[in-house]
Amino acid sequence: PDDELPIIWFNSIKPNQPARFAYHLLLCFGKFNNELELLGTGNLKEAFRKSGLLQGTNDMDSCSRLLRRYITEQLIYVPGSTNQFDRNCVLAANNLQSIIVDNTIPVDGIPPVLYTSMVKKIDDDTDKEIRANREALVNVLYDKYSNIDSIAGLPTKAQLMNATLFNSYEHQLQIVQSSTQSDASYAEQKRANDTIEAAITHYKMGMNTHVQNVLLAGAPGCGKTFCMDLAALRSVASGLNAMSAAMMCERSLENGGRHLAKWSKLSTRDANSSPFRAAEMALARLYRRPKEFLFL
């Protein structure tokens, strides 16, 4: 019976947390059998449609109906001043319009690439850290791919080391189908690399929207590492600061990076803590190492 169903409760979910706010609305107002059915659609807009919260073809009307329902059923009961209520209304409207109409997740604050440009003047230690990391990554990637025919238009080491956002070389990089590679394999590989290239281009644009992560999955030997290495080459050639990390130390070094714990400052001492507490402790350790914090 309905009165025996569990009650979903989040602590202070407000519109200033766009992703959690959207998930909160889906769980509270949507109709679905399980979360896999709800969130397995590919993006938040389709999740809203799947849950029955988007009706008809006019997304703005659906957005307005959902906003009105949120205000009348939830927001009016949230403690706060009139100004806070007004801010929450505006934030909720902007978030819903971004998710439902524009099909993007709004990001609060300065875009990362713009922030990087603003803090270009960094101290010598941080500059050396960035330079050393790029050199290690470039050396490993160049040793792997400088003498094979799978990549065309590979920039020189000097070009990769000196690439900037305003002097980039990523347009030269192209994958080439090998003589032993099937057409289906090449098409799948090219589709993966096109997706990665689009994500890097989106990140470089510095827009105030969420840049989706790219996950590559497949059997051993199907080319995941090749696609990852090409993504690193493209990022460095674009003038971005790229790094490689892995769960295994030897694998990290092979890829020109460092162990994941070395970068993130996650510690085995936090294994029994909640993920949020472990993240807080890792950030606290990073704050004590400004050189690494500024690089990340």
Side-chain angles (χ1 to χ4, degrees), residues 15 45 60 72 107 148 154 159 164 185 196 230 234 242 246 254:
K45 182 176 181 179
M60 282 301 298
T72 56
V107 177
I148 65 173
L154 182 66
Q159 288 175 327
T164 66
S185 173
I196 294 171
L230 186 59
R234 193 176 299 280
E254 289 176 2

Side-chain angles (χ1 to χ4, degrees), residues 27-183:
L27 294 180
C28 291
F29 299 147
K31 296 180 180 179
F32 53 94
N33 294 320
N34 53 69
E35 291 187 39
L36 179 61
E37 174 186 301
L38 177 65
L39 301 176
T41 55
N43 58 59
L44 278 176
K45 182 176 181 179
E46 290 304 316
F48 274 93
R49 193 177 303 280
K50 185 80 173 180
S51 66
L53 296 178
L54 300 187
Q55 301 173 1
T57 58
N58 193 323
D59 291 339
M60 282 301 298
D61 289 344
S62 298
C63 182
S64 298
R65 285 193 297 269
L66 186 56
L67 176 63
R68 187 180 301 109
R69 185 177 178 186
Y70 166 70
I71 293 175
T72 56
E73 294 183 21
Q74 292 190 5
L75 188 57
I76 59 174
Y77 302 108
V78 176
S81 64
T82 303
N83 289 336
Q84 184 63 50
F85 178 85
D86 293 342
R87 284 195 295 270
N88 286 332
C89 287
V90 173
L91 283 172
N94 292 338
N95 290 340
L96 288 174
Q97 183 173 342
S98 295
I99 294 169
I100 295 175
V101 179
D102 302 329
N103 197 21
T104 63
I105 301 177
V107 177
D108 219 356
I110 302 174
V113 68
L114 180 58
Y115 178 78
T116 303
S117 299
M118 292 173 60
V119 294
K120 187 177 180 180
K121 187 177 180 180
I122 55 177
D123 59 293
D124 293 340
D125 287 341
T126 305
D127 190 39
K128 291 177 182 178
E129 181 77 15
I130 293 173
R131 192 77 180 175
N133 175 78
R134 173 174 288 202
E135 185 176 8
L137 185 61
V138 166
N139 285 338
V140 168
L141 295 174
Y142 215 84
D143 289 343
K144 281 185 180 181
Y145 300 109
S146 60
N147 296 320
I148 65 173
D149 56 2
S150 298
I151 300 178
L154 182 66
T156 65
K157 278 189 178 182
Q159 288 175 327
L160 290 173
M161 289 300 298
N162 297 316
T164 66
L165 291 174
F166 308 103
N167 183 28
S168 59
Y169 302 92
E170 78 280 3
H171 58 279
Q172 301 178 10
L173 285 169
Q174 299 291 334
I175 60 172
V176 179
Q177 183 177 4
S178 66
S179 58
T180 59
Q181 187 178 22
S182 66
D183 292 339

Side-chain angles (χ1 to χ4, degrees), residues 188-234:
E188 185 176 12
Q189 187 180 66
K190 190 174 186 308
R191 184 166 62 251
N193 281 289
D194 288 344
T195 301
I196 294 171
E197 183 179 1
I200 294 173
T201 302
H202 185 188
Y203 180 87
K204 275 191 65 176
M205 293 173 66
M207 298 177 63
N208 205 23
T209 55
H210 179 73
V211 182
Q212 290 187 338
N213 295 322
V214 179
L215 174 65
L216 297 177
C222 67
K224 301 185 299 296
T225 301
F226 173 79
C227 291
M228 181 198 73
D229 289 342
L230 186 59
L233 278 171
R234 193 176 299 280

Side-chain angles (χ1 to χ4, degrees), residues 266-282 285:
L266 290 171
S267 173
T268 55
R269 292 174 295 180
D270 303 327
N272 296 326
S273 304
S274 68
F276 296 105
R277 178 58 179 167
E280 287 178 351
M281 295 300 294
R285 297 185 190 103

